[in-house]
């Protein structure tokens, strides 16, 4: 019995808008249904709350996360005006990849019941269904179209269909049960010999045109990378369990010379002696599938993380005397073109998109030209860490989809697996994972004389991020003092002899004030809506330094470096932590502070009154709230009706300070201010922003 295949990701072009609306509606409900059907394999309520692995949340999080994503993104895009469940939309928002700011601590969560989350999903389904049915639709659908955000939510859920299936596969067997909608392949036998296929030189233009996307895509797919590859050889099929067994039996896991430093550290920590989904029972090898263990299918592809794949290639190179390694992204695209695999997903002959089985299958079942499994079966690890193509830009509604992975710690995987659906199934997609993570991923190897050239840069080159690094950690300009440093001086002065246990730097950006406050406080939390910003603070806390570029003029840049040691902050780094969060909908755990600093924040919030009405709940009695803002109210950040000042009221000027006094007066007294504190942000060598921020300090009564 085959599982029911999911519909392909919709084309964004056409002439019949109502037919396209029905197509998107069907796509949404099919995805929502299939995702819920995945969780039907859990055998008991306890299975939702026990973590399958320590580095991820329990499955109850992922059951709620994809619905929460819809609401948070639709709200951010202005397509809806009200939340469905603010508590859920905070709890289930963040914590997916193993980033330093992911909040994976069990003590921070009071998980809701499964039926409560299921009811919440029904509410979200109704919201999205209504939007699809009622929202004006024009074709083609582009990057800035409201329907792009709806498709973003659907494609996001399809990603989690796959990643959640991996977590279920890592769960204890007693927590799962067979399900008729998830039948594995029953074709098992001995593996064929793997041969090498010659791939000719190729000129490549990789990257998609943002102005004509054809299908939905994530930010990293767009841009233009022009390159060429020399001739090389590629393994005809993916490495099978049988082929990998030779590496295991040769002592590959015990041979330290085959493992790079990072891989050796993972191997030591995990105590790995063979692939994670292999099971040794009574002297026989078995394979853990998503819902059961079976006798080892030697003709299926082995599934490994990057470190295991790379170690195998080194062993193979030593054994054969040939330059064996994993392919680069350019080489994978070259062999894809050679095999005649199209750019976009469609009716393809491959074990992909749940069109064949809910598991891998033999490595020689699906041919693509002279190769097998160029797409489908399992993902293929590449040697290339993910990097931005020239012309890369973040999407304003999901600015942290890829940018946190531009750290040279996330390697690309290509080709998709048996469960990869929608955008995941498109050969032009680009997904990357931490090298020690497991997906339904294996590898093929290449024999190539030319060395790998890694295009990633060690310098932070995102212009906005670089400007804020310079603003926080760089030079002073025109005699204006460093703004975060000046604010922390004012805050610490105002604290006087008050308790200095915990402080919250809300809207911390790249985190300078977070570190500076740690000179005075026992513990400081930096929190920002943007993972791009807090990634800087996290990197500094972990490594102590970073490099970045600054625009001089046009395409010319200069190169700079900042370090905590040079700023006298290295010793306080252990006292800080960074998290991603929404100031208007904070988790309950962010409370008990003696100081909250909200610098240049309130005029960038979608609902500043919501934040101000509840911020007293985050402070200890007698604690201080420090607000700074130039009061630059703009409709693109805050709807006009949400402004708290800067307009006429009853015929008179009503300033933001008036609004602050009206809202905060119920729980605070104005302790100090208003004060004008200047700041300068460098844009280019000859262009700067010079702004005055009004500072007020409030004491909780």
């Amino acid at each position: 019995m085959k599982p029911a295949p999911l519909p392909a990701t919709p084309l964004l072009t056409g002439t019949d808008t109502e037919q396209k609306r029905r197509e998107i509606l069907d796509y949404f409900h099919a995805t929502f249904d299939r995702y819920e059907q995945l969780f039907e394999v859990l055998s008991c309520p306890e299975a939702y709350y026990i973590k399958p692995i320590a580095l991820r949340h329990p499955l109850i999080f992922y059951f709620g996360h994809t619905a929460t994503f819809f609401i948070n993104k639709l709200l951010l895009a202005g397509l809806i005006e009200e939340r469905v469940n603010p508590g859920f939309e905070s709890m289930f928002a963040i914590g997916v990849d193993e980033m330093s700011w992911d909040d994976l601590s069990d003590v921070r969560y009071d998980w809701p019941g499964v039926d409560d989350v299921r009811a919440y999903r029904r509410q979200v389904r109704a919201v999205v269904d209504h939007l699809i049915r009622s929202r004006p639709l024009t074709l083609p659908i582009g990057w800035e179209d409201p329907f792009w955000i709806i498709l973003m939510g659907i494609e996001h859920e399809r990603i989690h269909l796959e990643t959640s299936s991996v977590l279920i596969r890592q769960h204890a067997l007693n927590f799962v049960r067979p399900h008729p909608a998830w039948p594995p392949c029953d074709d098992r036998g001995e593996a064929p010999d793997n041969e090498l296929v010659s791939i000719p030189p190729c000129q490549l233009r990789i990257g998609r045109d943002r102005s004509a996307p054809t299908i939905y895509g994530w930010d990293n797919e767009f841009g233009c990378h022009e390159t060429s590859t020399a001739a090389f050889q590629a393994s005809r099929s993916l490495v099978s369990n049988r082929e990998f067994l030779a590496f295991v039996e040769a002592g590959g896991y015990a041979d330290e010379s085959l493992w790079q430093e990072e891989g050796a550290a993972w191997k030591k920590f995990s105590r790995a002696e063979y692939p994670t989904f292999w099971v040794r029972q009574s002297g026989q090898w078995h394979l853990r599938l998503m819902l059961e263990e079976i006798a080892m299918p030697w003709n299926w592809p082995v599934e490994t993380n990057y470190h295991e794949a790379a170690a195998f290639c080194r062993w193979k190179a030593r054994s054969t005397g040939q330059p064996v390694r994993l392919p680069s992204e350019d080489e994978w695209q070259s062999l894809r073109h050679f095999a005649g695999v199209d750019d976009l997903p469609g009716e393809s002959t491959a074990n992909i998109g749940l069109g064949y089985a809910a598991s891998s299958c033999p490595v020689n079942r699906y041919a693509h030209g002279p190769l097998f499994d160029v797409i489908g079966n399992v993902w293929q690890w590449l040697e290339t860490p993910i990097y931005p193509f020239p012309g890369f830009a973040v999407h304003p509604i999901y600015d942290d989809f890829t940018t946190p992975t531009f750290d040279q710690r996330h390697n690309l995987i290509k080709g998709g697996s048996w469960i990869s659906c929608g955008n995941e199934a498109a050969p032009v997609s680009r997904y990357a994972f931490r090298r020690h993570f497991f997906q339904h991923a294996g590898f093929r190897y290449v024999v190539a004389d030319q060395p790998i050239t890694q295009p990633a840069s060690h310098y932070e080159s995102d212009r906005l991020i670089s400007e804020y690094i310079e603003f926080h950690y760089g030079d002073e300009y025109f005699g204006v003092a460093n703004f975060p440093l000046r604010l922390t001086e004012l805050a610490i002065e105002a604290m006087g002899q008050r308790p200095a246990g915990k402080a919250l730097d809300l809207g911390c950006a790249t985190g300078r004030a977070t570190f500076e406050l740690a000179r005075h406080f026992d513990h400081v939390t930096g929190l920002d809506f943007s993972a791009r910003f807090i990634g800087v603070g996290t990197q500094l806390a972990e490594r102590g330094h970073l490099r970045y570029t600054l625009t001089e003029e046009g395409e010319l840049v200069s190169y700079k470096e900042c370090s905590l040691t040079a700023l006298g902050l290295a010793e306080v780094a252990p006292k800080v932590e960074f998290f991603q969060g929404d100031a208007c909908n904070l988790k309950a755990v962010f409370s008990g502070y003696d100081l909250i600093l909200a610098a240049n924040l309130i005029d960038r919030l979608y609902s500043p009154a919501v934040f101000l009405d509840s911020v007293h709940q985050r402070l200890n009695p007698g604690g201080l709230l420090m607000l700074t803002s130039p009061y630059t109210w703009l409709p693109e950040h805050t709807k006009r009706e949400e402004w708290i000042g800067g307009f006429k009221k009853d015929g008179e000027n009503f300033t933001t300070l008036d609004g602050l006094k009206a809202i905060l007066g119920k729980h605070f007294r104005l302790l100090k201010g208003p004060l004008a504190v200047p700041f300068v942000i460098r844009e280019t060598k000859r262009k700067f922003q010079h702004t005055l921020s009004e500072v007020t300090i409030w004491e909780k009564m």
Side-chain angles (χ1 to χ4, degrees):
M1 176 183 175
K2 290 185 178 182
L6 280 167
T9 187
L11 295 177
L12 305 183
T13 55
T15 57
D16 188 336
T17 57
E18 291 310 304
Q19 187 277 333
K20 187 63 63 178
R21 187 189 305 277
R22 289 191 297 272
E23 185 180 351
I24 294 172
L25 188 65
D26 290 344
Y27 190 61
F28 164 67
H29 283 294
T31 304
F32 218 77
D33 289 342
R34 197 65 158 130
Y35 191 71
E36 292 182 348
Q37 193 175 53
L38 177 65
F39 287 82
E40 292 176 7
V41 306
L42 299 180
S43 62
C44 60
E46 187 182 8
Y48 283 87
Y49 301 99
I50 302 295
K51 288 184 177 182
I53 60 172
L55 298 178
R56 296 291 181 100
H57 279 306
L59 287 162
I60 190 68
F61 171 86
Y62 301 98
F63 192 42
H65 170 69
T66 55
T68 285
F69 181 92
F70 269 112
I71 297 302
N72 286 338
K73 296 307 181 187
L74 293 172
L75 190 71
L76 184 61
L79 300 182
I80 59 174
E81 296 184 354
E82 295 182 357
R83 293 191 171 278
V84 174
N85 184 320
F88 283 10
E89 286 140 20
S90 175
M91 177 185 296
F92 292 131
I94 302 161
V96 177
D97 193 9
E98 186 213 347
M99 296 300 199
S100 299
W101 55 84
D102 283 348
D103 183 6
L104 296 172
S105 172
D106 288 326
V107 300
R108 296 179 183 270
Y109 294 92
D110 182 14
W111 298 113
V114 176
D115 287 342
D116 293 331
V117 180
R118 191 172 287 116
Y120 171 72
R121 287 184 58 84
R122 285 196 295 270
Q123 291 176 288
V124 173
R125 184 194 288 260
V127 169
V128 180
D129 179 282
H130 175 73
L131 272 179
I132 297 172
R133 292 179 186 274
S134 62
R135 189 82 192 181
L137 172 61
T138 57
L139 296 174
I141 298 169
W143 172 272
E144 297 179 351
D145 193 285
F147 270 83
W148 188 273
I149 312 305
I150 294 170
L151 289 166
M152 178 186 290
I154 302 172
E155 295 293 349
H156 172 263
E157 187 157 58
R158 291 198 166 200
I159 292 174
H160 281 281
L161 179 71
E162 175 152 2
T163 57
S164 295
S165 77
V166 176
L167 289 176
I168 289 170
R169 190 177 182 184
Q170 292 172 307
H171 226 342
L173 269 176
N174 61 301
F175 287 139
V176 300
R177 59 191 173 193
H179 192 291
W182 302 97
C185 171
D186 58 6
D187 184 352
R188 304 155 194 175
E190 273 302 321
D193 291 335
N194 210 350
E195 301 171 335
L196 291 173
V197 175
S198 294
I199 310 297
C202 185
Q203 294 287 329
L204 293 167
R205 185 183 186 278
I206 307 171
R208 300 176 58 194
D209 183 354
R210 194 178 295 106
S211 65
T214 309
I215 62 169
Y216 178 86
W218 300 105
D219 54 9
N220 60 54
E221 300 167 26
F222 296 98
C224 181
H225 169 59
E226 296 189 30
T227 186
S228 62
T229 56
F232 63 96
Q233 293 176 296
S235 61
R236 187 180 300 279
S237 64
L238 304 175
V239 173
S240 66
N241 287 313
R242 174 63 74 187
E243 188 173 8
F244 197 84
L245 178 65
F247 168 72
V248 175
E249 292 182 336
Y253 279 81
D255 187 343
E256 295 297 326
S257 68
L258 299 174
W259 300 79
Q260 294 174 321
E261 181 180 357
E262 182 184 329
W266 164 79
K267 182 168 63 73
K268 181 178 179 181
F269 173 79
S270 65
R271 300 180 180 178
E273 297 178 354
Y274 45 82
T276 193
F277 296 123
W278 286 21
V279 181
R280 188 75 166 168
Q281 291 181 0
S282 303
Q284 300 295 316
W285 288 109
H286 293 71
L287 182 67
R288 170 63 192 269
L289 306 184
M290 188 169 75
L291 304 179
E292 60 185 299
E293 286 179 5
I294 62 172
M296 180 62 73
W298 295 113
N299 56 345
W300 291 15
V302 69
E303 289 155 295
T304 70
N305 63 21
Y306 164 84
H307 298 305
E308 294 166 302
F312 173 94
C313 289
R314 293 187 197 97
W315 170 78
K316 188 82 172 177
R318 190 172 67 187
S319 302
T320 63
Q322 296 180 296
V324 179
R325 57 169 171 79
L326 296 174
S328 67
E329 182 181 23
D330 293 348
E331 287 166 340
W332 187 88
Q333 291 290 1
S334 178
L335 69 84
R336 175 178 74 86
H337 284 286
F338 175 70
V341 176
D342 292 337
D343 286 353
L344 301 180
E347 294 296 326
S348 60
T349 304
N351 183 14
I352 199 167
L354 291 170
Y356 172 69
S359 74
S360 302
C361 70
V363 295
N364 58 350
R365 174 176 285 274
Y366 289 107
H368 301 119
L371 302 169
F372 289 98
D373 291 330
V374 172
I375 58 171
N377 220 357
V378 296
W379 290 92
Q380 300 165 49
W381 282 106
L382 301 186
E383 197 62 57
T384 309
I386 192 168
Y387 68 96
F389 289 152
F392 168 83
V394 299
H395 194 284
I397 304 302
Y398 200 175
D399 72 344
D400 56 352
F401 177 79
T402 307
T403 50
T405 67
F406 292 152
D407 58 1
Q408 299 197 49
R409 297 181 180 183
H410 291 71
N411 274 42
L412 284 157
I413 55 176
K414 298 293 289 187
S417 78
W418 54 268
I419 196 174
S420 300
C421 305
N423 171 269
E424 278 193 310
V428 293
S429 68
R430 302 176 81 221
Y431 292 88
F433 278 88
R434 291 290 293 268
R435 291 185 277 267
H436 63 281
F437 264 35
F438 291 95
Q439 294 299 310
H440 304 298
F443 64 101
R444 68 171 4 103
Y445 49 85
V446 300
V447 174
D449 292 323
Q450 61 275 19
I452 290 280
T453 300
Q454 303 293 14
S457 170
H458 290 282
Y459 286 84
E460 174 59 66
S461 57
D462 182 312
R463 182 165 179 171
L464 176 64
I465 303 302
S466 293
E467 288 177 3
Y468 266 80
I469 295 172
E470 179 71 3
F471 176 37
H472 279 207
Y473 301 97
D475 297 332
E476 295 180 357
Y477 298 95
F478 308 112
V480 176
N482 179 280
F483 184 65
L485 178 58
R486 180 62 186 136
L487 295 185
T488 56
E489 291 171 345
L490 290 171
I492 292 170
E493 177 186 335
M495 288 297 296
Q497 299 303 310
R498 292 177 174 83
K502 290 169 54 181
L504 175 64
D505 183 8
L506 194 54
C508 66
T510 55
R512 175 68 181 273
T514 308
F515 289 107
E516 293 290 347
L517 288 171
R519 297 182 191 269
H520 183 75
F521 289 87
D522 297 333
H523 188 81
V524 184
T525 299
L527 191 147
D528 200 277
F529 190 76
S530 171
R532 297 160 65 202
F533 279 139
I534 58 176
V536 172
T538 299
Q539 183 176 336
L540 277 170
E542 291 178 350
R543 305 180 188 176
H545 69 278
L546 59 81
R547 297 167 176 168
Y548 58 103
T549 61
L550 287 178
T551 299
E552 297 292 290
E553 57 179 274
E555 297 177 350
L556 303 179
V557 298
S558 58
Y559 296 87
K560 298 197 68 175
E561 180 172 337
C562 65
S563 77
L564 294 184
T565 299
L567 297 170
L569 294 169
E571 291 185 359
V572 303
K575 297 165 64 177
V576 308
E577 62 180 351
F578 291 94
F579 290 101
Q580 187 181 9
D582 179 353
C584 298
N585 193 33
L586 288 176
K587 296 175 182 176
V589 68
F590 295 116
S591 59
Y593 296 105
D594 298 305
L595 170 75
I596 295 178
L597 168 63
N600 294 355
L601 176 69
I602 59 171
D603 59 352
R604 291 296 182 267
L605 298 178
Y606 59 84
S607 185
V610 169
F611 162 65
L612 294 167
D613 276 331
S614 61
V615 69
H616 65 280
Q617 300 170 6
R618 312 286 173 175
L619 279 165
N620 293 327
L624 300 187
L625 170 66
M626 183 173 180
L627 300 174
T628 83
S629 176
Y631 307 146
T632 311
W633 297 105
L634 297 171
E636 54 262 41
H637 298 299
T638 313
K639 291 182 178 180
R640 170 61 180 79
E641 58 269 25
E642 294 283 353
W643 295 4
I644 63 168
F647 49 78
K648 292 283 188 179
K649 183 177 181 180
D650 300 327
E652 301 295 332
N653 290 347
F654 191 80
T655 67
T656 303
L657 182 59
D658 294 328
L660 291 174
K661 290 177 178 178
I663 297 172
L664 295 177
K666 293 172 285 187
H667 302 286
F668 293 88
R669 72 178 182 90
L670 182 58
L671 182 68
K672 190 170 184 178
L675 307 171
V677 177
F679 64 88
V680 171
I681 296 178
R682 179 195 188 278
E683 293 187 21
T684 70
K685 187 176 182 178
R686 298 174 183 84
K687 183 182 179 185
F688 299 80
Q689 298 178 33
H690 186 189
T691 311
L692 291 179
S693 187
E694 186 167 276
V695 177
T696 55
I697 302 177
W698 307 77
E699 182 180 38
K700 180 179 175 180
M701 296 186 293

